[in-house]
Every structure is written in structure tokens, then in C-alpha cells.
Amino acid sequence: MKKTITLILAASALTLALGATACNTGGISLGGTGDTPASSESVYGVSAATAGMLIQSMKAEAPDPSQTPESTPQTPETTLPEAPQETPEPQPTEPAAPDTTGSAFPELDGYMGLVDSFLNGNGYSVEVTDSDRAEYDEMMKISYSGLNGSTKYEMHYNKMLIPDFDDDDDRWEKEEEEEYALKGVLVIDGMEYPVQGVREIEREHNEYESETQFRVTLEDGRSVWVEQSESSEKDEHELEYSYLIRENGRVVERSSFSFEEERGETELEMITEKNGSRESFSFEKESYRGREYIFLRVGSGRETKSYLVVSDGNGGYTYEEVRK
């Protein structure tokens, strides 16, 4: 049986038919099942964690104003295969590193944490308790362990039930509606960012639809928007996640992910859009030399190239070409 889950990091929706199944992530589910929508804790936990990953990558990519061009350490361009070695002596008989570079796909570096989390079946965990802050009711601790180590986030918030004032619904339709609002702060690397969320769930007979919006407000007019939508009807189960990075209200970056699982193997199709450029990538988690790795594939047909994604242990990644 083929199972397809669509995770969208884009402005527009993309819908794919799913088998009635859930993607379990060790205490957090990316989506629900054919019978039950994902829990609010799961949706807000995944939204907060993935938004935190994007924000951390944005911080890491930002230039350090305290460093001048003379004092700034050289970026991975100095490690490109074409760069000369320290001495002009001939290369050893062992192949040099023509297939390995940390700058081959710089547009991917900020998203590899997300890619890893979507392919890792048991990386997330979440714990909800009473908040230790007087102004908030609940506290959520989210942790993720993946390719580049462990990451932890903390969110303090109030969750409120929004009354349904629509009394015109046909009683015989047996439609149930729930709407919740969330407001609080997300703690990332000791910094606090305001968050707001709204979640709506509609149930009718054996069908349901849910939509969740989650926004993290950063400094300097920037924000990260996350939207999750899910629906189930008969044998179709649809799940979407949407992310936008905005600056002063203008969308500056978006990406789309299409996650597919078949016979125990997963593949993630990714499209990024930034600065007028559009790129497509494919990821798959496979065993290689006795270990689990993420493989990146670029191109199609005879032009396809495969790369092994390797963490450098410091939040970055390198891409080693695998020759067939």
C-alpha cells in the first residue's frame, strides 16, 4: 500500500490523496488518522519546533556586523575542490575531495534540520505541564534529536476556547465545530518571541477538517508563519504544513515539501523559492555502509546525481557525491 503525505512550506495549498494512516514521531504526530485529527499539542508542537529550526538557521545565516571583511573567517568557498592546497605539490594518489563540499548547495543548509525531522520517524517528543509563569496557564517543552544533534524549545501560552455563535447550522447535519486560540511566547536559545495561534476543527459523521495557523514574531519586522491543514473523507486523508518567511509583510522565502512513503522507504521532494530562484531536490533516508544516512538527489534521468548528506557537528552540512 502506498502512503503519501504532503508537507507544504508555501503560500498556496497542494493536496494529495493519502491512505488512512498517521506519521508517528515519538510523542508528536505530524498528522492524525483517518478517524481522528491530530491533537492540538501535536500540531502546535511540530509548528513550534519547525519554526524554531527555521529561525535558528536564519540567525546562523545572518552576517556578523562586528566582523570586517579582513577579519571575517573564510566561508566554505575556500574548501571548494577547485581551490588550491596550501602547497602547490601534486595531489596524493588517494582521490582528493572533489565530491565533497559544504557550499555545493548553500540554499539547503537552512532547511536540512526540517528535512531531517520529516524523514526521522521518532525524533520528536513533547511534554505539556502547568506553566511556571504567572501570566500563562500551560508550558510546552519540545525536543528533537536528529542528524545534527538535539534541539530543545520551550513555549509558555494561554489556550482559549472560542465560542461558536453560529446558531444557523442544521441540527440534522450533526456538525460539530471547535475553535481555539493560543497566545504566548516561544523560547529559542534563551530569546523569547511572541507567538499566536488559531485552530479550528469541524466534524461531521465520519469526516473532519482542521486548520491551524501559528505565527512567530521576530525583530525588525520579520515573522515566520506556519499553517497546518488536515482533512479526512472516506479513504482519503490529506495533510498540509505551510511556512512563509515575511519581512515587513512581504514574503521573502517559501519552500514546498512532498513526503512519500512506500514499502518502508521514504522520499521527500523539495522545492525552494527565494530571490527569484526556484530549485528542486529529492531526499531519501537509506542505509549506507552499515549506517543510516540522508541521500540528496538532484536532476532527473541520466543527469541525476546523488549526494550523501553529512553533518559537520556544528550545525552545518556537507554533501558528498556518491558515484555509481
Side-chain angles (χ1 to χ4, degrees), residues 230-247:
E230 184 179 9
S231 65
S232 179
E233 181 178 358
K234 297 181 180 179
D235 295 331
E236 294 186 357
H237 180 202
E238 299 172 356
L239 171 67
E240 300 175 2
Y241 269 87
S242 304
Y243 298 65
L244 290 175
I245 298 176
R246 296 178 180 267
E247 291 184 1

Side-chain angles (χ1 to χ4, degrees), residues 67-83:
Q67 294 187 338
T68 63
E70 292 77 12
S71 63
T72 302
Q74 292 297 313
T75 53
E77 281 79 1
T78 59
T79 64
L80 285 171
E82 295 77 10

Side-chain angles (χ1 to χ4, degrees), residues 15 68 124 131 135 148 158 231 288 294:
T15 302
T68 63
Y124 284 109
S131 176
E135 63 270 36
N148 231 329
N158 295 317
S231 65
Y288 181 69
I294 292 177

Side-chain angles (χ1 to χ4, degrees), residues 5-50:
I5 299 177
T6 302
L7 304 176
I8 301 303
L9 280 71
S12 60
L14 177 63
T15 302
L16 293 180
L18 304 183
T21 182
C23 182
N24 297 318
T25 52
I28 296 183
S29 175
L30 294 176
T33 67
D35 300 320
T36 307
S39 68
S40 297
E41 288 77 13
S42 294
V43 176
Y44 283 129
V46 172
S47 299
T50 52

Side-chain angles (χ1 to χ4, degrees), residues 286-293 295 308 320-323:
E286 298 178 0
S287 295
Y288 181 69
R289 295 178 179 175
R291 292 181 58 187
E292 286 287 325
Y293 287 97
F295 281 80
L308 195 67
E320 302 178 7
E321 185 172 352
V322 180
R323 297 189 183 278

